[in-house]
Amino acid sequence: MVREDGKRNFALRDSNGEEDSVFSGNTPRQAALKAARRLDPGPSEDAADRIELRLREKGTDKVHIYDGWAWEETAPDDKPDWMPDQITEANVSKKGIEHLDE
């Protein structure tokens, strides 16, 4: 379901099929990146744990499946005053799409 502003809502599903959080974005990847930023960050991108993220697009039976990981990084030199010295970066890799039978 597309909102008036063009964004779509994606519910994060756990292994039991429960949907606790909702992330919005123009694309499923944008929502997956937002979800990945909430993961426990590793010390570096290579050392970060890859976690499977399953995002169901609201209003459809599509479940977008990603591997997501997050890591700590030093903030850039030209950062705004409110930004902390250490920030969390994230990345995702799409694995595929499933359709629910429910």
Side-chain angles (χ1 to χ4, degrees):
M1 253 354 219
V2 179
R3 300 186 328 201
E4 286 181 21
D5 61 1
K7 294 189 189 260
R8 296 156 33 193
N9 291 322
F10 299 89
L12 182 64
R13 295 172 64 90
D14 64 15
S15 57
N16 299 329
E18 297 292 318
E19 298 177 352
D20 295 334
S21 302
V22 176
F23 298 93
S24 63
N26 293 322
T27 64
R29 184 175 190 277
Q30 190 176 37
L33 284 168
K34 290 178 182 181
R37 294 244 353 246
R38 294 203 180 170
L39 297 173
D40 287 331
S44 68
E45 184 173 8
D46 293 333
D49 293 331
R50 270 52 173 177
I51 306 293
E52 185 176 88
L53 303 172
R54 301 174 72 82
L55 295 164
R56 182 182 64 82
E57 187 170 351
K58 294 280 202 162
T60 72
D61 66 347
K62 288 184 192 177
V63 177
H64 300 267
I65 305 166
Y66 290 87
D67 276 337
W69 60 97
W71 68 95
E72 290 284 324
E73 198 162 283
T74 304
D77 293 335
D78 61 348
K79 70 179 181 67
D81 294 337
W82 55 262
M83 186 181 284
D85 293 332
Q86 286 292 106
I87 58 172
T88 302
E89 293 279 347
N91 203 355
V92 294
S93 174
K94 188 149 192 175
K95 294 170 70 174
I97 296 175
E98 288 181 358
H99 293 274
L100 296 176
D101 296 332
E102 299 171 5

